[in-house]
Coordinates of all heavy atoms in Angstrom, one line a residue:
I26 N 37.1 -66.1 -95.6 CA 36.6 -65.4 -94.4 C 35.2 -65.8 -94.1 O 34.8 -66.0 -93.0 CB 36.9 -63.9 -94.5 CG1 38.3 -63.6 -94.5 CG2 36.2 -63.2 -93.4 CD1 38.7 -62.1 -95.0
I81 N 50.5 -52.0 -82.9 CA 50.4 -52.8 -84.2 C 51.5 -52.5 -85.1 O 51.5 -51.2 -85.5 CB 49.0 -52.7 -84.8 CG1 48.0 -53.2 -83.8 CG2 49.0 -53.6 -86.2 CD1 46.5 -53.0 -84.3
R86 N 55.6 -48.2 -90.0 CA 55.1 -47.4 -88.8 C 54.6 -48.3 -87.7 O 53.8 -49.1 -88.0 CB 54.2 -46.3 -89.1 CG 54.1 -45.2 -88.2 CD 53.2 -44.0 -88.7 NE 53.0 -42.9 -87.7 CZ 53.9 -42.0 -87.6 NH1 55.1 -42.1 -88.3 NH2 53.7 -41.0 -86.6
L91 N 45.1 -47.3 -78.4 CA 44.7 -46.5 -77.2 C 43.4 -46.9 -76.7 O 43.1 -46.7 -75.5 CB 44.6 -45.0 -77.6 CG 45.8 -44.3 -78.2 CD1 45.5 -42.9 -78.7 CD2 46.9 -44.3 -77.1
N93 N 40.4 -50.4 -77.1 CA 40.1 -51.5 -77.9 C 38.8 -52.2 -77.4 O 38.8 -52.8 -76.4 CB 41.3 -52.5 -77.8 CG 41.1 -53.8 -78.6 OD1 40.3 -53.9 -79.5 ND2 41.8 -54.9 -78.1
D108 N 52.8 -36.0 -88.5 CA 52.4 -34.5 -88.6 C 52.6 -34.2 -90.1 O 51.8 -33.4 -90.6 CB 53.2 -33.6 -87.7 CG 52.8 -33.8 -86.2 OD1 51.8 -34.4 -86.0 OD2 53.5 -33.1 -85.4
A132 N 16.5 -41.4 -104.5 CA 16.7 -41.2 -106.0 C 18.1 -41.7 -106.5 O 18.3 -41.8 -107.8 CB 16.7 -39.6 -106.4
T135 N 24.0 -38.5 -105.2 CA 24.2 -37.8 -103.8 C 23.5 -36.4 -103.9 O 23.1 -35.9 -105.0 CB 25.7 -37.6 -103.6 OG1 26.3 -36.7 -104.7 CG2 26.5 -38.8 -103.6
E139 N 21.3 -30.7 -94.8 CA 21.8 -29.8 -93.7 C 22.3 -30.6 -92.6 O 23.0 -30.0 -91.6 CB 20.5 -29.0 -93.2 CG 20.1 -28.0 -94.2 CD 21.2 -26.9 -94.5 OE1 21.9 -26.5 -93.5 OE2 21.4 -26.7 -95.7
G151 N 45.2 -44.5 -104.5 CA 46.5 -44.4 -105.2 C 46.6 -43.2 -106.0 O 47.6 -43.1 -106.8
A154 N 51.5 -40.5 -104.3 CA 52.4 -41.4 -103.6 C 52.0 -41.3 -102.2 O 52.1 -42.4 -101.4 CB 53.8 -40.9 -103.9
S164 N 45.8 -50.9 -94.8 CA 45.6 -52.3 -95.1 C 46.4 -53.2 -94.1 O 45.8 -54.2 -93.7 CB 46.0 -52.5 -96.5 OG 46.0 -53.9 -96.8
W169 N 43.1 -56.1 -94.1 CA 42.1 -56.1 -95.2 C 42.8 -55.5 -96.3 O 43.4 -54.5 -96.3 CB 40.9 -55.2 -94.7 CG 39.6 -55.7 -95.3 CD1 38.7 -54.9 -96.1 CD2 39.0 -56.9 -95.2 NE1 37.7 -55.6 -96.5 CE2 37.8 -56.8 -95.9 CE3 39.2 -58.1 -94.4 CZ2 36.8 -57.9 -96.0 CZ3 38.3 -59.1 -94.5 CH2 37.1 -59.0 -95.3
E175 N 37.5 -47.8 -100.3 CA 37.3 -46.7 -101.1 C 38.5 -45.6 -101.0 O 39.3 -45.8 -100.2 CB 36.0 -46.0 -100.7 CG 34.7 -46.9 -100.8 CD 33.5 -46.2 -100.4 OE1 33.3 -45.0 -100.6 OE2 32.6 -46.9 -99.9
G185 N 31.0 -24.5 -85.7 CA 29.6 -24.9 -85.9 C 29.4 -26.0 -86.8 O 28.3 -26.6 -86.9
V223 N 41.9 -30.0 -82.7 CA 40.8 -29.0 -82.7 C 40.7 -28.3 -81.2 O 40.8 -29.0 -80.3 CB 39.4 -29.8 -82.9 CG1 38.3 -28.8 -82.9 CG2 39.5 -30.5 -84.3
G226 N 35.5 -29.1 -79.1 CA 34.5 -29.7 -79.8 C 35.1 -30.6 -81.0 O 36.3 -30.9 -81.1
G228 N 34.4 -33.8 -81.7 CA 34.6 -35.2 -81.4 C 33.8 -36.1 -82.3 O 32.8 -35.7 -82.9
E233 N 24.5 -44.4 -79.2 CA 24.1 -45.6 -78.7 C 24.9 -46.1 -77.6 O 24.6 -47.0 -76.7 CB 23.9 -46.7 -79.7 CG 22.9 -46.4 -80.8 CD 21.4 -46.3 -80.3 OE1 21.1 -47.2 -79.4 OE2 20.7 -45.3 -80.7
L234 N 26.2 -45.7 -77.6 CA 27.2 -46.3 -76.6 C 27.6 -45.3 -75.6 O 28.3 -45.7 -74.6 CB 28.5 -46.7 -77.4 CG 28.3 -47.6 -78.7 CD1 29.5 -47.8 -79.4 CD2 27.7 -49.0 -78.1
M239 N 38.0 -37.8 -79.0 CA 38.3 -36.4 -79.4 C 39.5 -36.3 -80.4 O 40.3 -37.1 -80.5 CB 38.7 -35.6 -78.1 CG 37.7 -35.7 -76.9 SD 36.1 -35.3 -77.5 CE 36.3 -33.6 -77.8
K241 N 42.6 -35.7 -82.4 CA 44.1 -35.4 -82.0 C 44.9 -35.7 -83.3 O 44.8 -36.8 -83.9 CB 44.7 -36.3 -80.9 CG 46.0 -36.0 -80.6 CD 46.5 -36.8 -79.3 CE 48.1 -36.7 -79.1 NZ 48.5 -35.2 -79.1
G252 N 29.1 -57.6 -91.4 CA 29.6 -59.0 -91.5 C 29.7 -59.5 -92.8 O 28.9 -59.1 -93.7
R260 N 24.4 -50.4 -83.6 CA 25.1 -49.6 -82.6 C 26.2 -48.7 -83.2 O 26.9 -47.9 -82.4 CB 25.6 -50.6 -81.5 CG 24.8 -51.3 -80.8 CD 25.4 -52.4 -79.8 NE 26.1 -53.4 -80.6 CZ 26.9 -54.4 -80.1 NH1 26.9 -54.4 -78.7 NH2 27.5 -55.2 -80.8
G265 N 29.7 -36.5 -86.1 CA 30.7 -35.6 -85.8 C 30.2 -34.4 -85.0 O 29.3 -33.7 -85.5
A266 N 30.6 -34.2 -83.8 CA 30.0 -33.3 -82.9 C 30.4 -31.8 -83.4 O 31.5 -31.6 -84.1 CB 30.5 -33.3 -81.5
Y285 N 36.7 -52.8 -104.5 CA 35.9 -51.6 -104.9 C 36.7 -50.9 -106.0 O 37.9 -50.5 -105.8 CB 35.8 -50.7 -103.7 CG 35.1 -49.4 -103.9 CD1 33.6 -49.4 -104.0 CD2 35.8 -48.3 -104.2 CE1 33.0 -48.2 -104.3 CE2 35.1 -47.1 -104.5 CZ 33.8 -47.1 -104.5 OH 33.1 -45.9 -104.8

Side-chain angles (χ1 to χ4, degrees):
I26 291 169
I81 297 178
R86 194 171 183 84
L91 301 175
N93 184 18
D108 286 354
T135 62
E139 290 304 313
S164 173
W169 207 243
E175 297 182 32
V223 181
E233 298 294 322
L234 305 174
M239 307 311 296
K241 178 174 175 56
R260 295 174 297 174
Y285 176 85

